[in-house]
Amino acid sequence: MASKRDDIFSVIHVGIHLFSFVLMSLQAQLVSGDDTCAKEDIRNAYLQAFSNVCHVNVEKTLKRSMKSWNLADDDLLVSTFPIDPDLNNYVREVKEAVFSIVKPISFKTPLHLVAYSKEVLEEILDMDPSIVDEKDFLDFVSGTEILKGTTPLSHRYGGHQFGIWADQLGDGRAVLLGEYVNRKGERWELQLKGSGKTPYSRQGDGRAVLRSSVREFLCSEAMYHLGIPTSRAATLVTSSDPVMRDQFYDGHPKAERGAVVLRLAPSWFRIGSLEILERNKEFDLLRRLTDFVIKQHFPQIDMKDNDRYLSFFSHVVSQTAYMIASWQSVGFSHGVCNTNNFSLLSITIDYGPFGFLDAYVPSFVPNSSDDEGMYSYDKQPDVGYFNLDKLRIALMPLLTTSQNNQMKVILQGYVDIYKKNFLTLFRNKLGLAGEQEQDEFFLAVLLKIMEETKSDFTMTFRNLGDWKVRDMKMYSVPDDLWALHQLENHKYFKQWVKMYVDRIEFVQIPDEMRMKKMKNTNPRYILRNWIAQTVIEQAENDYFEGVRQLLTILQNPYVENEYAEKMGYASQPPKWASSLRVSCSS
C-alpha cells in the first residue's frame, strides 16, 4: 500500500507535468507572435492546472470503502459527560446524565437505499459516492451494524411543548452513532432517526415511517440550498418492516413502511438540553454542558471571561433571530417550535410536520395537531422570543444577580435584530440596493396585497424578478408570470408597482442587475407539500427515482429545470394540494 508521502509526491508530479504542458503551449504562442492575451492565458492556465492537481488530491482523500473510513477516535461527548450507568434499553427517568448508551435496532426485512446526498458524502463525510454500493455502507447507515470501538448514544433533554413544560423527553427514536472529523477539520455528529426504542421513547416504538423520513431527508437538503442554517441529511433507507401509525389521531391506525435517516449536525444540543438540568437542579452538569457548547462551537468567546454566559446568550439570541427571519423569507413554517426542537447553534433541526407556504396566508399552520395555531407561520418570531426566554431562565443558576438583569436586556434586543434581518432579507428578495426609510411600509403594503389576494408566496417574488421595469411602467404583465396575475386586480397593486419602479430607479439599479439578483435570491422550486406527497407515494410503491430527481432539483432551487417544469413544480399548485394534512405522527 502506498504511503501518504508517496501520494503527496504523486500529486506534485502530476502538478509539475500539467504546468509544464501549459508553459510549452504558451511558449509556442509567443514564438508564433500571438501574444495578445498571453499574460491572461498564463494566469488562467495556471489556475486550471492547479485546480486539476487539487481535484486529484481530493479524489485520493475520498474513501471508497467502509474498511478505510471510521468515526473520530476522540469521542468528545463520551469523554466529557456522565453516561447513564443502566445499559438496559427500557423506558425510564434518567438523572445526572446527559446520554444513555443505546444500540440501534436493525430491521428484519431487506433494506433499500432510497436516496443519498452525494454532496454530503463527498463534502462532509469524505466518502466517494461509489461507497453506497457496499453492503457495509448500507448496514452502517441503517443501524444494522455499528463501527468497532464506537459508543452509540441517545440524548436526555426536556422541553416546553406548545408552551407547557413537558419534563423529560429525549431522543425517543434517535441514536447518535458518533462524531466524524473531516479533511477540512470540521466535526460532525452523525445520528440515525428511526432506529428503534430508547430509554426516552415514552409510549413510542422508536421507529419512523417512510412518509415522514422522505420529508425530513429532502427538507434538510432543500433548506441548506436555500441558505437557511440547518442540519443535513446523508441517506434515507427503508425496509418492509410494518410500523403502525394513526396519522391523524382519529382512531384509524394502519401499517406503514419503516425507514431511517442518517442526519448530521455540528451539535444536536438544544435549549431543552439545558432546561432539564436546571429543572432538576443538576447545576454542575448544567455548567459543564454550557461550557462545552461554548468551547466547541463559539470560539470567539473567551472561556476565562466571567461574562462568557452573557456572550453565549447574546450570540444565540442574534443567531436565532436570523434563523427565524430566514424561515420567514422563504415561507417556511416549522410546525413544532418547542424548546426541545430549537438548536443551541440556531440551526433548523427536527423536520416533522413542516410546510412551505403556497398562497400567502400568514396564519398558515402546517401541523394538523396544532389545533390552536400556536406555531403558525406568522407567530414564529414570537415563539422564538418565548424559547429564548426559557434559555435565559435555564442559565440563571450560572449567573450573578447583575448578570441575570443583563440577560433580560440582551433578550429585549431580539425584536430589533429580527426586524433588521427580516428587512434585509426581503430587500434582497425585491432586488433593492441600500436602505430607505419607507422600505418597511413599502414591504408591508406588498405583503398585505399578497395576503388579500392569496397570491403564491414563492412565485410572486420570483415573478417580480422576471418582470422588466419597462413592462412595469406600462403595467404590462407577461402571460407566463402567473403569480403576478393573482395580484394585478387588487386596487392598490398598480400604485405599489409605481412605488417599486421609483424605488428601483432612485438608487439607479440597472434592471439586468436587479433581475439577476432576484433570480439568485428567490427560488423557483421549494418542497411544497403536494410535491413531497407525490414522491412519497411513489417511494411507498418501490419507485425511488422520484425522490432522487426531486433531491437534485431542490439542490439547485434557483435554476430552471426541464424535468421540474414538466412536472409543474413551478406552476400553480393543483387543487387537491390544499386538502393535504401533515401531523406529528411520524
Side-chain angles (χ1 to χ4, degrees), residues 110 201 409:
S201 294
V409 175

Side-chain angles (χ1 to χ4, degrees), residues 172-457:
R173 53 179 165 178
V175 172
L176 184 70
L177 297 176
E179 302 165 71
Y180 180 73
V181 180
N182 64 24
R183 66 182 183 273
K184 293 176 278 190
E186 301 167 340
R187 184 177 288 265
W188 290 81
E189 296 178 5
L190 279 62
Q191 187 184 76
L192 287 179
K193 182 175 179 180
S195 53
K197 274 193 173 184
T198 78
Y200 310 103
S201 294
R202 291 169 286 168
Q203 284 76 46
D205 56 18
R207 288 297 187 193
V209 297
L210 182 57
R211 161 178 50 85
S212 62
S213 300
V214 167
R215 288 168 53 82
E216 169 133 15
F217 174 79
L218 289 174
C219 200
S220 300
E221 292 305 284
M223 291 285 274
Y224 173 77
H225 287 279
L226 290 171
I228 314 297
T230 180
S231 57
R232 304 295 300 275
T235 59
L236 168 60
V237 173
T238 190
S239 74
S240 295
D241 285 28
V243 177
M244 296 301 297
R245 287 290 181 271
D246 185 353
Q247 185 176 355
F248 298 111
Y249 307 105
D250 58 2
H252 295 89
K254 69 174 185 177
E256 300 187 50
R257 295 181 70 169
V260 62
V261 174
L262 176 61
R263 57 186 194 172
L264 302 79
S267 173
W268 290 102
F269 287 131
R270 52 263 339 263
I271 292 176
S273 303
L274 302 182
E275 283 186 291
I276 190 75
L277 302 178
E278 185 273 334
R279 285 275 178 159
N280 288 313
K281 295 182 169 47
E282 298 171 32
F283 299 143
D284 288 342
L285 196 47
L286 173 65
R287 185 179 299 276
R288 195 190 309 184
L289 178 50
T290 307
D291 281 345
F292 177 87
V293 171
I294 295 172
K295 182 178 180 180
Q296 295 299 319
H297 304 290
F298 296 86
Q300 65 272 47
I301 299 176
D302 184 355
M303 291 302 298
K304 296 178 182 179
D305 187 351
N306 290 330
D307 287 333
R308 63 185 180 278
Y309 302 126
L310 293 178
S311 298
F312 166 63
F313 184 64
S314 179
H315 278 91
V316 178
V317 167
S318 296
Q319 292 171 8
T320 299
Y322 174 76
M323 178 187 72
I324 296 178
S326 298
W327 290 358
Q328 305 302 102
S329 74
V330 296
F332 175 78
S333 189
H334 186 280
V336 277
C337 298
N338 302 325
T339 57
N340 52 289
N341 302 121
F342 260 51
S343 163
L344 287 175
L345 304 192
S346 306
I347 60 175
T348 315
I349 59 173
D350 297 345
Y351 292 94
F354 65 85
F356 285 87
L357 292 171
D358 286 334
Y360 180 59
V361 179
S363 59
F364 169 65
V365 179
N367 182 3
S368 63
S369 305
D370 184 3
D371 296 328
E372 297 180 7
M374 183 173 289
Y375 295 152
S376 62
Y377 168 80
D378 60 349
K379 290 180 181 176
Q380 288 182 139
D382 293 335
V383 174
Y385 183 94
F386 175 91
N387 289 350
L388 289 168
D389 190 45
K390 298 307 174 188
L391 173 60
R392 178 190 66 81
I393 293 170
L395 293 171
M396 284 178 64
L398 308 181
L399 306 172
T400 64
T401 301
S402 173
Q403 288 173 330
N404 272 309
N405 289 333
Q406 291 178 67
M407 293 280 273
K408 294 176 182 177
V409 175
I410 292 170
L411 181 58
Q412 293 305 313
Y414 167 83
V415 176
D416 287 338
I417 297 169
Y418 168 79
K419 181 178 174 182
K420 181 178 179 179
N421 280 306
F422 182 88
L423 287 173
T424 297
L425 289 166
F426 274 84
R427 282 191 189 98
N428 289 337
K429 289 179 74 65
L430 289 168
L432 303 179
E435 299 179 12
Q436 296 294 319
E437 188 176 340
Q438 73 273 22
D439 285 351
E440 186 175 355
F441 171 75
F442 170 71
L443 175 60
V445 172
L446 173 62
L447 292 176
K448 188 62 178 175
I449 294 171
M450 290 171 62
E451 180 182 359
E452 292 182 356
T453 58
K454 291 184 171 55
S455 65
D456 190 89
F457 180 85

Side-chain angles (χ1 to χ4, degrees), residues 87-103:
L87 301 182
N88 296 306
N89 190 358
Y90 65 96
V91 175
R92 60 186 179 273
E93 186 176 11
V94 176
K95 297 283 189 181
E96 299 292 340
V98 176
F99 296 102
S100 297
I101 296 176
V102 182
K103 290 185 177 180

